[in-house]
Amino acid sequence: MLKVIFFLINLLIFIVGIQAARMVCYYDSASHIREGPAQVAPQDLEPALQFCQYLVYGYVGIDPENYQLRPANMELDVARNHYRTITNLRRNHPQLLILLSVGGDRDHFDQTLENPYLSVLESQAHRNTFVNSALTLLKNFDFDGLDLAWQFPKNHPVVVENKLKKAWKTFKSWFSGSKVVDEKAEEHKTQFATLVRELKDAFRSDGHILTLTMLPHVNANLFIDIPSVIPLVDFVNLGSFDFQTPERDPKVADHTAPIYEMFERDPTHNIDYQVQYWLNNSAPSNKINIGVPAYGRSWVMSRDSGITGYPPIERTEGPGPAGKQIRIPGLLSWPEICEKLQRDKELDGDDAPLRKVGDPRQRYGSYAYRSADDEGLYGLWVGYEEPSTAATKAGYVYAKGLGGVALFDLSLDDFRGQCAGEKYPILRSIKFKL
Ligand SMILES: *[C@@H]1O[C@H](CO)[C@@H](O)[C@H](O)[C@H]1NC(C)=O
C-alpha cells in the first residue's frame, strides 16, 4: 500500500516536473553600451537570473563576405570580453543555460546587396563555413548553444489608411495574393531545414542546444519546413509581438501583441493564430514558447486621430518621440511607460500624464494615450505590455500546455525597479504564473 502511495507521489512529482514551463530571457548586449539609466551592467542582470532557465545573448551577425559568424560589436563582445563575462554568470546560477543568438533584426547588412541569411543557405560550402564558425564561437566562449533568430525577408506591411472598414474588403483578398517576399522561398525553406540538420549533427558530440526564434512578420509558411525542423530544435520562440509597429504602420496605431484575433484586423496578427499554426503543422506544444515584449510601441496622434483613444487609431503621424532612457523613437520600455502613467495630473503639454485603458477581458493588451490639443500638439498613443498583461500571456501558455515564454528583453523590463520598487516586474509576473 505504502509503495503504491510512494509511486503515485513520484508520478505526481514527475508530471508536475515536466509541466513546469520554460522561461527564456533575452538579453540584448547593445544595452550594455547605452548611456544613462538604461545601461545594463552584468550585475544588473543578477536579480533576473534566478527566474530564467535560458539566457539568450543577442546578437551575433553573419559576415556577408565569408558566411562566418561575426560579433555584432567586436569591441564589446570580444575585445572587452563581454561574451565571457556573460557566460561566467553561470557560476552563480548553475541552472542557467546561455545561448548565443544569430540575427534578431539587429544584424544590419547593406539592403542593396544580397541578404546573407539567404545566401548562406544556398551552398554546401557556405553552410559548412557557417556551421564550423558557430561551433568554434560556442566553444571558445563557453556558450551552451545557438539560437537562430534568422533574418528571413519579412511580409510587406499592408497599407491601410483612413477608412479602415472600407479598406477591409480589399485588405482581406490581399492575404492570399500578397507581394512576393522571396522568389526562391521554396528552395530557401528546404535549405534552411538542411542547415538546421547540419548544425544539429555538428552540435551532437558536445551536446550544444539548438533553438529557433521566429522574428515578427517572418512567414513560417514560406520559410520553415516545420515537420523537418521541429524535431531538430530544442524549442521555438515565436515572435508573437510587434504585429503593428509605428515603422511598418505609421498612420494607424493599434494593439501590438494581442492574444486573440481582433475585429476587422489581419486574422494572423495575434498570438493564438501563430501558436495554432505551429501546432497544426505537427509542432509538439511543449516546444512552442510565446514571445512577450517588455516594451510598448508609440505613435503620434494627430488632431484627426480623435479623442476616444479606442484603437485602431487612424491618421497617426508615425513613431512617438524617443523616451528619455532608451532613446528610440516609437519604442518605450516598461519603466518609461510607467513614468508617463504616474505623472502629476496638473502637468500639461508634453509633461501631461497618459490616460491608461486596461484590458479587463484579458485579450488584447493595455494602451494609454493623450489626445492632441487644439493646435495638434502632444498627441501620443502607446500600446504596451505590463506585468498584469504579461501574466495573462503566461496563463495562456499554461492553459494550452505550451513550452514557455521568451521575454524580449531583460533590458527593457524595469531592471532598476524605478516603477514600483521591485526589479524585473514583468519577468517576475510571468514566472509567477508559469
Ligand atoms: C488549424 O487547424 C484547424 C482545423 O483544421 C483550422 O480550423 C484552423 O484554421 C487552423 N489554424 C491555423 C492557424 O492554421
Side-chain angles (χ1 to χ4, degrees):
M1 184 64 195
L2 226 79
K3 265 189 182 162
V4 174
I5 292 174
F6 275 132
F7 173 76
L8 287 177
I9 290 174
N10 278 331
L11 189 69
L12 195 68
I13 290 171
F14 178 69
I15 291 169
V16 170
I18 55 170
Q19 278 192 343
R22 216 182 267 128
M23 185 73 232
V24 179
C25 301
Y26 260 82
Y27 160 62
D28 185 352
S29 63
S31 63
H32 187 51
I33 44 183
R34 285 178 196 146
E35 294 188 359
Q39 183 181 85
V40 181
Q43 61 268 27
D44 293 323
L45 294 173
E46 287 284 347
L49 298 180
Q50 57 183 308
F51 302 115
C52 309
Q53 253 170 295
Y54 296 84
L55 181 69
V56 187
Y57 188 113
Y59 292 87
V60 64
I62 297 179
D63 188 334
E65 306 268 315
N66 59 21
Y67 305 113
Q68 299 193 359
L69 283 180
R70 173 173 69 179
N73 186 335
M74 194 59 91
E75 193 339 75
L76 173 71
D77 295 336
V78 179
R80 281 161 62 192
N81 220 1
H82 200 55
Y83 280 160
R84 181 61 73 175
T85 307
I86 297 299
T87 54
N88 280 347
L89 290 170
R90 238 179 343 225
R91 287 185 189 153
N92 290 337
H93 303 275
Q95 94 292 355
L96 197 63
L97 295 162
I98 305 181
L99 314 182
L100 180 62
S101 183
V102 191
D105 281 339
R106 298 299 206 290
D107 188 5
H108 302 292
F109 49 84
D110 185 343
Q111 295 293 336
T112 62
L113 301 178
E114 266 194 272
N115 177 343
Y117 288 79
L118 297 181
S119 343
V120 68
L121 304 176
E122 290 169 357
S123 85
Q124 184 69 60
H126 295 172
R127 291 195 304 267
N128 286 348
T129 311
F130 178 86
V131 171
N132 289 332
S133 79
L135 201 54
T136 307
L137 204 57
L138 297 186
K139 282 186 181 172
N140 284 352
F141 295 98
D142 205 14
F143 284 102
D144 293 299
L146 192 71
D147 173 54
L148 304 170
W150 212 251
Q151 292 182 200
F152 287 110
K154 298 192 171 223
N155 287 345
H156 300 289
V158 178
V159 182
V160 187
E161 278 183 57
N162 306 331
K163 302 278 182 294
L164 205 78
K165 284 179 188 164
K166 227 185 210 170
W168 177 249
K169 291 195 183 73
T170 31
F171 185 33
K172 258 186 184 158
S173 62
W174 289 356
F175 292 128
S176 41
S178 61
K179 266 192 283 175
V180 177
V181 291
D182 176 17
E183 306 258 328
K184 293 193 284 180
E186 268 306 311
E187 291 160 51
H188 289 140
K189 186 182 201 172
T190 310
Q191 291 158 345
F192 183 74
T194 306
L195 174 71
V196 173
R197 185 165 36 75
E198 291 166 353
L199 282 165
K200 180 72 185 171
D201 288 343
F203 285 5
R204 200 159 272 136
S205 62
D206 294 296
H208 286 312
I209 294 163
L210 183 62
T211 63
L212 178 63
T213 291
M214 295 302 294
L215 297 175
H217 303 287
V218 168
N219 189 343
N221 191 25
L222 287 183
F223 295 112
I224 311 295
D225 175 358
I226 299 179
S228 304
V229 167
I230 202 81
L232 301 171
V233 296
D234 290 78
F235 54 77
V236 177
N237 302 314
L238 300 184
S240 46
F241 50 87
D242 279 352
F243 291 117
Q244 192 87 359
T245 71
E247 288 77 26
R248 291 173 60 93
D249 320 281
K251 295 181 174 171
V252 186
D254 207 348
H255 285 296
T256 58
I259 301 179
Y260 297 104
E261 183 177 340
M262 292 186 292
F263 186 55
E264 290 184 328
R265 309 302 210 288
D266 184 332
T268 71
H269 282 185
N270 55 81
I271 293 175
D272 200 45
Y273 177 94
Q274 301 292 329
V275 167
Q276 203 53 53
Y277 178 83
W278 282 77
L279 300 182
N280 279 6
N281 286 276
S282 84
S285 54
N286 64 3
K287 280 201 177 179
I288 302 296
N289 304 334
I290 64 164
V292 174
Y295 58 87
R297 293 291 194 173
S298 68
W299 284 258
V300 172
M301 284 176 85
S302 72
R303 261 187 80 178
D304 299 329
S305 301
I307 54 163
T308 68
Y310 186 70
I313 304 291
E314 301 181 20
R315 303 193 204 193
T316 50
E317 294 173 339
K324 290 195 180 83
Q325 301 188 22
I326 306 293
R327 300 179 192 166
I328 300 177
L331 186 149
L332 295 169
S333 66
W334 167 236
E336 285 176 330
I337 294 165
C338 176
E339 188 272 330
K340 284 183 189 298
L341 299 173
Q342 291 179 345
R343 283 180 188 172
D344 190 336
K345 298 221 166 17
E346 307 296 309
L347 297 171
D348 56 10
D350 210 22
D351 295 326
L354 301 186
R355 172 201 288 255
K356 176 185 167 167
V357 183
D359 181 19
R361 290 199 300 150
Q362 308 195 329
R363 295 178 68 85
Y364 309 129
S366 302
Y367 64 89
Y369 71 102
R370 184 173 64 207
S371 344
D373 69 8
D374 290 344
E375 272 129 63
L377 298 173
Y378 311 122
L380 190 65
W381 195 92
V382 188
Y384 62 94
E385 205 73 63
E386 61 180 316
S388 63
T389 58
T392 304
K393 289 180 178 177
Y396 173 91
V397 162
Y398 189 78
K400 294 254 170 181
L402 302 179
V405 172
L407 181 68
F408 291 81
D409 68 47
L410 293 177
S411 80
L412 299 170
D413 195 353
D414 187 7
F415 67 93
R416 293 194 190 281
Q418 294 171 308
C419 182
E422 192 173 53
K423 293 180 180 176
Y424 293 103
I426 294 187
L427 172 63
R428 279 171 198 269
S429 107
I430 293 169
K431 183 64 191 173
F432 184 69
K433 262 288 165 86
L434 284 179

